[in-house]
Every structure is written in C-alpha cells, then in structure tokens.
Amino acid sequence: MLKRKGRVITILMVLLLLFTGCSMQTSKEAQQENTSEESSPANTDINTDSEKNEKEVKAPSEELQKKDKGEPVRRLQLALQSIGYDVKEDGIYNTETTLAVTDLQLQFKELKATGLYDKETSKTLQKLLTTDKGDFKAYKILAKNKDVQKANGGATVLQNPYDQLALVNKQHALPADYIPEDLVTPKVRFPFTEDLPKKQMRQVAATALEKMFAAADKAGLDLFAQSGYRSYERQDSIFASNVNEHGEEAANKFSARPGESEHQTGLTMDVTSPDINYGLTIEFGKTDEGKWIKKHAAEYGFIIRYPKGKENITKYQYEPWHLRFVGKEAAKEIMTKGITLEEYVKGK
C-alpha cells in the first residue's frame, strides 16, 4: 500500500514538474512574442521616417517664385540644402532662396537665370539630387553673405542682378560690370533702323514683348519700341549729360545714376507711337497705344514701372512709356492693386 502511494506521489511530482516546465516555456515564448510585437512598431516608425525623408528630398514639380509660401517652397528649400545650399527651411521663397536658385541656373546653359523655379529648373535639380553632380557646386557663381557694397551714389549693390524681380532704384543698384548674358533683339517695330544695343532685351522679356506687340497689332494699334538695354557706361554718359544741362537735383528726378537704371537689367523697354512723334513723354499715356498698354501690359508680364501718383515711392516722375518685365503673376498683382514694384517686393 505504501509502495503504491509512493508511486502515485512520484508520478504526481513528475507531472507537476512537466506542467511547470511547459508553463515557464509558454511564458517565455509569450514574453518574446510580446517583446517582438513591442519592437515592431518602433521599427515601422524608423522605416516610415526613412521613407518620409527620402520622399521629401525631391525637387518639387510646382512652379515657384519669390514671395511664394507653403509646403512646395519648403520642399524646394530642403532639396537645395541637400545639394549644398545654406537656406532656411521655412517655406518662404525669400531673397536667399532666390539667390540659390539663380546660382544653380547660372551653372547650366539650358536654364534661364531668373531666380524663378520653373519646370526645367525642377528637372535639373532632381538630377543633382539623384546623380553625379559633376562640376556643380553650391554658390559657385553667386556668393551668399557677400560683403555689402555701395555704389557711387550710395545705393546698395545687388548681389543677384539676374533676379527677374530685382528691385533697381536709387537705393538698390546693379553691379558696374553686370551685362545680361542672354540679350537678344525682339522682333518688333522700332522707329530707327540702326542695329543699336538699345534694341536688345533679355530673352524672357523679348519673347513677352513680341507677344504683346502682336496683340496690339490685332487691336489695330501702332506701337513702337524705342529703348531697351543700356549698359552701365552708357547710363553714366546720359546722366552726366543731363546733369550738365539741368543740374544734378533736377536730372535725378528723371534720369538714373549709372547702376540705378532698370535699362541695365535688360528687362525694360520704353515704348512709343507715331501720334507723339515717337517721343518719350507723358502724352503717350493719353494715346490709344498708351491706354491699351495700361490695360493689357500685365497680361504679358509687364508693368508701368513709374505710375502716376507714386513719385514719392519711386522717386521718379510719371513715365507711362517705361515698361518693366516682372512676369505675369507679379505684373497682375501690381497693376491690379495699382502699386509699385517697391511696394510689391516689400509686401506692402
């Protein structure tokens, strides 16, 4: 009887040990499974972040320009950072972003150096992000934080004279050695036949001028181009001549010092008509051509740079003949609101 009880006790102890071992094994496996489950989301997050970063460092496809804001601009800035540009990732297309884009554009002949982020620039930026950069180098042509230089008249010299929205006036001057590299002669009417530099404009502005003249022709108007690009040296001679004839104070109201003239940008054209004997006078604003220009210039990216009633801002007299190319987006806002380029750039 005792032997039988001993066998039963032994069997029970063995069963107990087997049960305990299985329970411990099950607990251990459960713990490992839980640990695996707990670590899984973390790994997923890491992978997600990695994929997110990879997606972010891509050239945005949207067309952008100075003053634009939002997520596409932030993605552009992130992409520019990835190829070496020191720009803030704040989603604001500001001066430093414009300079970086322009510097990039200047290193590729197929791109227009305007500071505007267009489809061709997007394609080139994407290539730089995904393939060998070759000879490309950030700030290779336009240096950031360059020492501020002053022109002879006291104006600050622009670091990025290629900027399509560059503000050129008595406070902001172009470098003396700046000559646009893409000057062409637009196929429009001029009241003279000589092949002079003043027939020229930068390619982007010349193309827009041709379209505007074609539209004016369809409207039965007789529009003529009178004076476009003007070099620093040429402006120096003109200003000196006006000073000799009218005195410096008077000359400064209608004539720009060298470097302070928009004509040097290659983005400006003075226009006229036979009704005023091809002159550049305020009477042009009263002609059919002048009235049409005021109403339709923005459709082609042009503004009347020195509007009536804004002399205290522009520091120049009213010039209904002086057209400046800024692009359709900026031109529409400026002309619709009746503001100046100064007010537009400064966000007033």
Side-chain angles (χ1 to χ4, degrees):
M1 185 71 176
L2 290 173
K3 289 181 179 181
R4 185 179 298 174
K5 287 184 178 179
R7 289 196 199 101
V8 173
I9 292 172
T10 301
I11 292 171
L12 290 174
M13 289 180 67
V14 171
L15 290 174
L16 180 62
L17 287 171
L18 288 173
F19 179 79
T20 303
C22 290
S23 297
M24 290 178 64
Q25 181 65 26
T26 303
S27 177
K28 184 177 181 181
E29 290 176 354
Q31 186 176 358
Q32 290 177 345
E33 188 173 326
N34 289 336
T35 302
S36 176
E37 289 176 356
E38 289 174 2
S39 62
S40 179
N43 291 333
T44 302
D45 289 341
I46 291 173
N47 293 334
T48 301
D49 289 342
S50 177
E51 291 174 2
K52 182 180 178 182
N53 289 334
E54 186 178 350
K55 288 181 180 179
E56 284 181 341
V57 187
K58 286 186 178 180
S61 59
E62 297 89 341
E63 293 193 346
L64 304 165
Q65 68 175 52
K66 183 185 283 186
K67 293 193 65 181
D68 284 347
K69 299 178 181 179
E71 178 60 20
V73 177
R74 190 192 69 80
R75 285 189 279 113
L76 169 60
Q77 292 167 333
L78 187 63
L80 289 171
Q81 287 177 3
S82 298
I83 59 172
Y85 287 105
D86 181 21
V87 295
K88 293 180 181 178
E89 187 189 334
D90 58 5
I92 302 173
Y93 203 126
N94 51 23
T95 299
E96 68 174 18
T97 301
T98 304
L99 185 140
V101 170
T102 308
D103 179 74
L104 184 158
Q105 293 169 333
L106 285 168
Q107 297 184 53
F108 297 90
K109 291 182 179 180
E110 65 272 20
L111 300 181
K112 297 175 183 177
T114 60
L116 277 65
Y117 182 76
D118 54 20
K119 294 187 183 301
E120 291 304 314
T121 304
S122 175
K123 293 178 183 177
T124 301
L125 177 55
Q126 186 58 39
K127 288 181 181 179
L128 290 172
L129 289 167
T130 55
T131 61
D132 180 31
K133 294 181 177 60
D135 295 331
F136 172 82
K137 182 180 179 181
Y139 301 115
K140 183 177 182 179
I141 298 176
L142 297 178
K144 185 189 178 186
N145 296 327
K146 189 177 180 182
D147 292 339
V148 176
Q149 297 181 355
K150 295 288 185 179
N152 291 335
T156 300
V157 178
L158 296 175
Q159 294 184 27
N160 183 7
Y162 302 89
D163 179 7
Q164 185 171 290
L165 288 170
L167 180 61
V168 180
N169 55 21
K170 297 182 187 299
Q171 289 78 43
H172 304 89
L174 293 162
D177 60 353
Y178 174 65
I179 301 175
E181 298 178 357
D182 57 344
L183 290 171
V184 297
T185 299
K187 297 177 182 179
V188 297
R189 289 184 299 276
F190 291 88
F192 55 89
T193 58
E194 297 89 344
D195 189 17
L196 301 175
K198 68 178 184 177
K199 277 188 172 182
Q200 298 178 320
M201 298 184 81
R202 290 186 63 182
Q203 180 67 69
V204 64
T207 300
L209 190 75
E210 291 172 352
K211 293 178 180 179
M212 186 177 72
F213 266 63
D217 286 346
K218 289 183 179 180
L221 301 172
D222 209 4
L223 197 61
F224 280 75
Q226 176 66 276
S227 183
Y229 171 70
R230 193 180 300 157
S231 69
Y232 182 95
E233 291 74 19
R234 176 60 178 156
Q235 188 64 37
D236 191 16
S237 298
I238 291 175
F239 186 72
S241 177
N242 286 326
V243 169
N244 288 334
E245 184 176 353
H246 305 281
E248 185 170 358
E249 184 177 351
N252 204 33
K253 293 180 180 179
F254 63 87
S255 181
R257 291 187 176 89
E260 298 176 13
S261 171
E262 282 202 326
H263 285 278
Q264 191 184 342
T265 66
L267 298 172
T268 290
M269 181 63 76
D270 292 335
V271 295
T272 185
S273 71
D275 287 348
I276 53 172
N277 198 28
Y278 307 108
L280 300 177
T281 65
I282 59 174
E283 281 71 28
F284 174 71
K286 299 177 183 179
T287 66
D288 290 340
E289 287 76 13
K291 293 176 182 177
W292 186 90
I293 283 292
K294 184 177 181 180
K295 184 176 181 180
H296 297 284
E299 297 170 18
Y300 305 93
F302 290 94
I303 61 170
I304 295 176
R305 179 65 178 90
Y306 307 118
K308 191 174 184 179
K310 295 288 187 175
E311 293 85 354
N312 63 319
I313 295 175
T314 65
K315 306 302 179 184
Y316 287 106
Q317 66 181 28
Y318 167 49
E319 296 186 0
W321 65 84
H322 183 105
L323 302 182
R324 161 70 189 272
F325 182 78
V326 294
K328 292 181 181 180
E329 182 179 326
K332 182 179 179 180
E333 182 174 343
I334 291 171
M335 294 298 284
T336 300
K337 292 183 176 179
I339 60 177
T340 63
L341 184 57
E342 282 84 0
E343 293 170 296
Y344 175 80
V345 171
K346 295 177 181 178
K348 293 183 178 179

